[in-house]
Every structure is written in C-alpha cells, then in structure tokens.
C-alpha cells in the first residue's frame, strides 16, 4: 500500500506539473497575441472587403498605386485549401485589370515547361498536369494536392477565353527539384533565375505575380540570422515601392500535413493546431482580425492606406514560432508592418488540402 501511495503522489505531482506548464504556455501565448486593439480595429473596419463566392471578388478594393506595381507576391503557409482559390482569383483579377500574364512559380523550369505545355494544348492533358502536381511533392509536399490540380484546370479554362497576347505563362524560378546543393539558398537562386529570365526574354516592362511560401514574400530580412527573403533580394532590380506583398493568415482552419521528419502527422494528415493564432504559430494582432470577421469567410485588409497604424507598428508583420523553427519576424525596431507586407487575407474555417486522387478514380488520362 505504501508503494501505491508513493506512486500515486508521484503521478499527481507529474499531472500538476504538466497542467502548470500548459497553463503557463497558454497564458504566454495569449499575452503575445494580445486582446483586440481599438486603434487597429478602427482602421481595419474601413479598409477591408469580405470576398464572396460567385462574384468579382476583388473588384473595387485596390487603388491605382497598387496596380502601378510591377511584382505582386502572395504568401501562404502551405496546406490550407482556400489559398488555392485566392491564388486563382488574384491572378485572374490582375490579368483583367492590368494585363498581367506572367505567373512566377515556386517550381523549377522543367515543371514550368510542362505546365505551359498543358496550358497551351488544345485539349486538357491531365497526364501532364498530374505529373507536375505529383512532382511538386519533392519541393513542397503540403501543396501537392487535388485542389492544386483543380486550380490549374481552372487557369486552363480561363486561358482559353483570352487572346494569345493576354494568355497566362508560367515562369519556374526555383532550384531544380533534384538539386540538393546548399551553395546558394533557394531565395538567392529564385532571384537569379527571375533576373535571368527577364533579361533573356526582354520582359523589363512586364508585370509578374506568384504564390510562394510565406517567408519568401516578406520585404525585410528577419530572424537572428538576418535571413534575406526573395522579396528583399529582387529589390536590386525591381523599382523601389513597386513590389506588393499579400499574405494569408488562417484561424479555425485545417491544414494538410503529409508525413515528414520535423512534425508528427496524424493518420488523416489533417491538423488544426497550425493556425496563426496558436499554439504553434502566433501572429501578434490577429485577434483584431478575428474581432471584425465572421466564421467561414475570407476577408482582405489593406494595411497601407491613409493614416494606417501599421505604418508605425509591427502588428501582423510576422510569425512567432513555438518549438518547430525560428521566428519569422524582423528584429529591427525601425521596421514597420507595411515595410514588410501590405495586405492580409484572413481565412476562417478553411478545409485542408487533399492528396491528389489516384489514377483509378479518374476517367482516362485526357479530358
């Protein structure tokens, strides 16, 4: 009996210790996220637009200064399904408004060549598209999905409605998927590849849009190692203030997480703990966005309009990461949010991306 009592006390102490750690961690996270800020809320309420289905989602939101930019970068934390819809709508909107036709992609030139072949074929060749989507697993496992495939099918359909002079062309600027060398970072290689493509194809007067991982689109260096993202590097040959960074934040959403060496994946490969309001990833000020949005919605916010408090603070300007990597936040107190990014999409209740369907579930290789 004495041994049982001792074991019971040990288990109780361990339980209380775990509860204390959880409570401490929760309080620490809540303090970092902060309660809604009235100054921020007042501004955000007048600089947002709820994006609805079956409408021109973005029409009437952006100003001329936005359209005068040369490079538009959409940043995401991979694995959330709704981002694929936003990517398609933003590409279509920019094509219609300013004639943008070059989609810079986080893929290598081998896959972008295949994708361009798919987009220009007279008949949808799903075998080509599927091979590209499957190959993307080599570089971005969370993005290789059924929704990615369906997005490119929609881009194919949209392209068919356009004259040849306006059709979408994909520029793959990433390192070769088979290149494991670390002599150059991916951000450095993407920068060199984009500059080379612009020079070789004489695209100096063209505009470019692309979807990238979140950290690549930030316009200031971040973390203690002073890492220089792709958006920082291309400022060497893109005119000042001609880059616009838009990022996607998620709350109450599911993310697709295939098997990997860094994070234990559940059996169905879906997680709800990787939203940007914690517990793993934290965006200071995201509670302001929650306060003025509704569940099951997508809302875009302009952080860089007249009298914006985000020109003076760092709310929404980076992600604090617990346990699984360095923070993605600038360390300079002289840098404001709008120096880093200019627009935020808040996605609520997104579904996770889904693994690409097996060939047995498809009818043939062509449509």
């Amino acid at each position: 009996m004495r041994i049982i009592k001792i074991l019971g006390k040990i288990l109780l102490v361990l339980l209380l210790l775990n509860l204390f750690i959880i409570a401490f961690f929760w309080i620490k996270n809540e303090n970092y996220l902060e309660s809604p800020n009235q100054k921020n809320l007042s501004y955000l309420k007048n600089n947002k637009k709820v994006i609805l289905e079956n409408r021109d989602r973005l029409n009437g939101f952006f100003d001329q200064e936005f359209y005068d930019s040369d490079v538009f970068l959409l940043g995401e934390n991979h694995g959330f399904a709704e981002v694929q819809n936003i990517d398609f709508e933003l590409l279509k909107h920019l094509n219609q408004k300013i004639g943008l036709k070059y989609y810079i992609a986080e893929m290598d030139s081998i896959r972008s060549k295949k994708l361009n072949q798919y987009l220009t074929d007279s008949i949808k060749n799903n075998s080509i598209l599927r091979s590209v989507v499957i190959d993307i697993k080599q570089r971005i496992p969370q993005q290789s999905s059924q929704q990615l495939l369906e997005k490119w099918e929609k881009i194919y359909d949209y392209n068919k409605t356009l004259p040849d002079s306006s059709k979408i062309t994909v520029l793959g600027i990433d390192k070769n998927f088979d290149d494991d060398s670390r002599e150059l970072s991916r951000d450095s290689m993407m920068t060199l590849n984009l500059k080379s493509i612009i020079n070789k194809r004489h695209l100096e007067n063209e505009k470019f849009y692309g979807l990238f991982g979140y950290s690549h689109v930030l316009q200031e260096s971040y973390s203690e190692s002073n890492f220089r993202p792709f958006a920082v590097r291309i400022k060497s040959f893109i005119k000042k203030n001609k880059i616009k960074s838009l990022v996607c934040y998620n709350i109450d959403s599911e993310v697709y997480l295939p098997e990997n060496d860094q994070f234990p994946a559940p059996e169905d490969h879906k997680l709800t703990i990787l939203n940007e309001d914690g517990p793993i990833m934290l965006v200071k000020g995201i509670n302001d966005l929650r306060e003025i949005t509704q569940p099951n919605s997508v809302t875009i916010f302009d952080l860089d309009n007249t009298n914006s408090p985000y020109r003076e603070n760092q709310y929404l300007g980076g992600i604090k990461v617990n346990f699984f990597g360095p923070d993605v936040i600038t360390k300079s107190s002289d840098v404001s949010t709008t120096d880093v990014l200019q627009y935020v999409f808040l996605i609520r209740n997104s579904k996770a991306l889904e693994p690409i369907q097996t060939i047995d579930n498809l009818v043939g290789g062509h449509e």
Side-chain angles (χ1 to χ4, degrees), residues 134-151:
I134 290 171
D135 283 352
I136 286 173
K137 287 182 181 179
Q138 297 178 51
R139 185 54 50 80
I140 314 172
Q142 308 99 301
Q143 198 179 67
S144 178
S145 63
Q146 185 64 26
Q147 286 85 353
L148 178 64
L149 184 145
E150 291 169 358
K151 178 186 72 180

Side-chain angles (χ1 to χ4, degrees), residues 81-322:
E82 185 59 36
V83 175
Q84 298 302 317
N85 294 325
I86 293 172
D87 184 35
F88 172 72
E89 293 295 338
L90 193 49
L91 174 62
K92 183 173 73 171
H93 180 81
L94 291 170
N95 177 267
Q96 293 173 344
K97 286 290 184 180
I98 57 175
L100 182 148
K101 57 186 178 181
Y102 290 103
Y103 184 100
I104 51 177
E106 201 173 351
M107 66 177 67
D108 61 16
S109 60
I110 296 172
R111 277 71 188 188
S112 64
K113 183 178 180 180
K114 289 183 179 180
L115 203 48
N116 284 320
Q117 179 184 344
Y118 166 78
L119 291 175
T120 54
D121 277 354
S122 58
I123 300 175
K124 279 185 184 177
N125 189 332
N126 270 1
S127 62
I128 292 178
L129 180 58
R130 282 177 54 82
S131 71
V132 173
V133 173
I134 290 171
D135 283 352
I136 286 173
K137 287 182 181 179
Q138 297 178 51
R139 185 54 50 80
I140 314 172
Q142 308 99 301
Q143 198 179 67
S144 178
S145 63
Q146 185 64 26
Q147 286 85 353
L148 178 64
L149 184 145
E150 291 169 358
K151 178 186 72 180
W152 283 106
E153 288 183 326
K154 289 195 295 184
I155 293 174
Y156 175 95
D157 292 337
Y158 176 68
N159 234 18
K160 288 300 177 186
T161 70
L162 300 174
D164 289 345
S165 60
S166 299
K167 290 185 184 297
I168 306 299
T169 297
V170 183
L171 305 177
I173 62 171
D174 206 344
K175 295 173 69 172
N176 189 296
F177 284 0
D178 300 318
D179 182 1
D180 295 326
S181 68
R182 297 187 178 182
E183 293 183 10
L184 289 175
S185 69
R186 285 181 58 210
D187 290 75
S188 178
M189 183 62 76
M190 288 192 293
T191 303
L192 293 173
N193 286 341
L194 177 59
K195 186 174 183 179
S196 175
I197 290 171
I198 291 174
N199 292 336
K200 287 181 179 179
R201 301 193 186 186
H202 306 291
L203 304 179
E204 290 83 1
N205 295 319
E206 296 291 344
K207 295 176 183 286
F208 306 91
Y209 164 76
L211 170 65
F212 292 83
Y214 176 85
S215 63
H216 300 301
V217 310
L218 304 183
Q219 294 181 32
E220 291 287 339
S221 300
Y222 67 86
S223 81
E224 294 178 359
S225 62
N226 203 35
F227 181 80
R228 297 177 67 234
F230 170 68
V232 173
R233 295 171 183 271
I234 63 175
K235 289 181 179 181
S236 64
F237 57 92
I238 301 297
K239 296 175 185 176
K240 186 178 181 181
N241 298 326
K242 290 294 186 177
I243 303 170
K244 289 292 180 286
S245 295
L246 311 90
V247 301
C248 298
Y249 291 144
N250 296 268
I251 58 176
D252 306 317
S253 298
E254 288 184 329
V255 66
Y256 170 52
L257 189 73
E259 297 290 343
N260 65 88
D261 297 330
Q262 294 181 316
F263 200 94
E267 187 174 346
D268 64 356
H269 303 296
K270 297 178 181 179
L271 283 175
T272 58
I273 62 171
L274 292 179
N275 289 275
E276 279 80 23
D277 61 345
I280 306 300
M281 297 189 293
L282 307 170
V283 172
K284 183 183 285 291
I286 201 168
N287 285 331
D288 297 333
L289 306 185
R290 179 190 287 276
E291 181 77 8
I292 55 175
T293 57
Q294 299 297 319
N296 303 296
S297 67
V298 177
T299 307
I300 184 172
F301 295 88
D302 180 354
L303 304 186
D304 199 22
N305 210 342
T306 305
N307 298 322
S308 170
Y310 296 96
R311 293 176 176 175
E312 302 172 355
N313 64 40
Q314 292 186 342
Y315 288 89
L316 304 178
I319 299 177
K320 179 178 174 59
V321 182
N322 289 319

Side-chain angles (χ1 to χ4, degrees), residues 37-86:
N37 179 293
Q38 291 306 314
K39 183 177 181 180
N40 292 344
L41 284 175
S42 178
Y43 171 83
L44 292 169
K45 288 176 182 177
N46 295 316
N47 290 277
K48 70 182 179 72
K49 183 175 184 180
V50 180
I51 299 173
L52 303 176
E53 293 287 348
N54 303 319
R55 296 187 183 183
D56 187 346
R57 296 181 168 198
L58 298 165
N59 196 37
F61 181 74
F62 300 112
D63 60 16
Q64 189 58 46
E65 192 267 340
F66 173 83
Y67 294 122
D68 286 341
S69 299
D70 293 328
V71 178
F72 307 85
L73 302 174
L74 178 64
E76 66 155 349
N77 286 309
H78 304 302
F80 296 96
E82 185 59 36
V83 175
Q84 298 302 317
N85 294 325
I86 293 172

